Amino acid sequence: MNIMNIREARESDLDALLELYLDLHEQCVPEHDERLRNTWTRIIADPDHHLIVCEHGGRIVSSCVCVIIPNLTRGVRPYAFVENVVTRADARGNGYATACLDRAREIAAKSGCYKMMLLTGSHDPKTLDFYRHAGYNSTDKTAFIQWL
């Protein structure tokens, strides 16, 4: 049986999330310094920053971030930005990330968002098909990135 628990991250989840991000693109877990602690405190306290996790078997196996961004257009309706979608390499293909993205969509809808956006650096057809299957398309907008 594949029982999962989808919830928002708690303060005590920091170390598990940092380990999970090693399966995203991080090379190492950052040092537990003041900057990390301050950033984590801001994320947890921000009512528009939703760090969604999927637990299975007592561990966090997948996660995504959904940020609700206030907006002055589209009838003053906000939009949502999804980032850092990740599943542990040994847990992929079980619907965990889909469940996280579904929760992000619920949060965005409840917040009155008119759209959700997601960027990926992946060119892997499996990853792109995953996002299409989750309801995202790559035809409506063109994304540009400027790295700082």
Side-chain angles (χ1 to χ4, degrees):
M1 183 162 21
N2 198 11
I3 299 173
M4 63 180 93
N5 179 34
I6 307 299
R7 62 174 176 79
E8 293 213 31
R10 297 185 283 255
E11 194 169 344
S12 61
D13 291 328
L14 177 59
D15 289 328
L17 283 164
L18 294 175
E19 287 290 328
L20 177 64
Y21 288 158
L22 293 174
D23 283 302
L24 183 60
H25 52 65
E26 294 301 304
Q27 301 300 313
C28 63
V29 173
E31 181 182 339
H32 277 264
D33 59 11
E34 183 177 355
R35 183 169 160 233
L36 176 66
R37 287 188 298 277
N38 289 343
T39 300
W40 182 237
T41 299
R42 286 181 59 202
I43 289 169
I44 291 296
D46 185 345
D48 288 326
H49 196 133
H50 303 272
L51 206 163
I52 301 159
V53 300
C54 176
E55 289 179 314
H56 177 73
R59 67 180 182 160
I60 293 175
V61 295
S62 189
S63 180
C64 75
V65 171
C66 177
V67 179
I68 307 301
I69 302 169
N71 182 38
L72 295 174
T73 67
R74 303 287 182 154
V76 194
R77 291 177 64 199
Y79 56 93
F81 190 79
V82 175
E83 184 62 69
N84 295 339
V85 180
V86 60
T87 300
R88 290 177 56 98
D90 63 356
R92 292 181 183 150
N94 292 296
Y96 302 136
T98 298
C100 288
L101 290 175
D102 287 348
R103 180 62 56 86
R105 184 174 36 251
E106 291 169 11
I107 290 168
K110 184 178 176 183
S111 298
C113 292
Y114 77 94
K115 71 176 176 183
M116 295 179 72
M117 295 184 293
L118 178 150
L119 298 175
T120 181
S122 176
H123 299 286
D124 181 344
K126 288 182 183 180
T127 301
L128 301 179
D129 285 343
F130 166 74
Y131 288 128
R132 286 185 194 101
H133 185 262
Y136 294 87
N137 75 71
S138 59
T139 58
D140 289 347
K141 297 268 185 173
T142 301
F144 291 90
I145 304 287
Q146 184 178 65
W147 297 102
L148 304 176

